[in-house]
Amino acid sequence: MERKEFLRNLGAGAAFALIFPCVHGCSKDEESGEIKPVPDGVDFTIDLNSAEGAKLANNGDFVLKNLVVVAKNLEGAYVAASQICSHESYDQVRFIEDDGGIFRCNVHGSRFAQNGTPLNQVDSKTAKPLKIFKTELTGTMLRIFE
Ligand code: FES
């Protein structure tokens, strides 16, 4: 059976699923090629007094947790965004100090404002907004949630 015939027999929906298994909701790990889901239902905390929280001591610092980039921006506020880039779903979004503090993916250079707005067009597939999460500080407990 030829490929075309096989796909026709399979039906359009199944063929689409086989050919484009990850249009939305997946990410590529640049090093391992592992597929990871876009963060959803996010709700976790970081104790700022813990070793993990100590990595957020200075403005401009960030940590990666649960596919979320949690950053202390240049004004000292906590911001959080998806580690999964909205351009081609690589998990390479980080916080950088350029332009007053932005999120950036180094795979193709997408840049995002702290509210997730794309700041550049890296190719004809303009990046969609980056998923942003809420943060709430209670004592030393930083909550990151949707
Ligand atoms: S995947 Fe992030 S810029 Fe392309």
Side-chain angles (χ1 to χ4, degrees):
M1 178 186 305
E2 288 192 24
R3 184 170 186 262
K4 235 173 157 179
E5 187 182 346
F6 171 75
L7 292 174
R8 194 176 324 118
N9 290 344
L10 214 54
F16 184 83
L18 280 174
I19 297 168
F20 304 105
C22 209
V23 173
H24 297 290
C26 297
S27 76
K28 303 169 204 161
D29 182 309
E30 192 175 25
E31 291 175 9
S32 69
E34 180 187 350
I35 302 295
K36 296 178 182 175
V38 172
D40 192 32
V42 166
D43 193 351
F44 63 87
T45 57
I46 295 175
D47 183 349
L48 298 179
N49 281 342
S50 68
E52 179 181 46
K55 295 175 186 167
L56 292 169
N58 302 307
N59 294 357
D61 286 350
F62 70 87
V63 296
L64 305 177
K65 184 172 184 175
N66 301 337
L67 294 178
V68 174
V69 184
V70 182
K72 189 172 187 180
N73 72 15
L74 303 186
E75 291 75 41
Y78 295 99
V79 293
S82 169
Q83 191 182 319
I84 309 306
C85 186
S86 60
H87 176 234
E88 286 190 2
S89 301
Y90 283 89
D91 62 352
Q92 295 300 309
V93 173
R94 304 292 186 266
F95 186 82
I96 61 170
E97 296 187 12
D98 291 13
D99 301 326
I102 60 170
F103 292 103
R104 179 179 185 273
C105 175
N106 67 5
V107 179
H108 308 103
S110 286
R111 300 160 72 90
F112 304 91
Q114 291 179 35
N115 66 3
T117 302
L119 297 173
N120 62 344
Q121 180 175 350
V122 296
D123 58 21
S124 59
K125 296 178 287 184
T126 303
K128 299 180 290 285
L130 187 64
K131 189 171 184 179
I132 298 297
F133 302 98
K134 298 173 189 164
T135 64
E136 180 181 77
L137 184 62
T138 305
T140 63
M141 297 303 292
L142 177 64
R143 180 181 176 212
I144 297 90
F145 61 105
E146 295 188 41

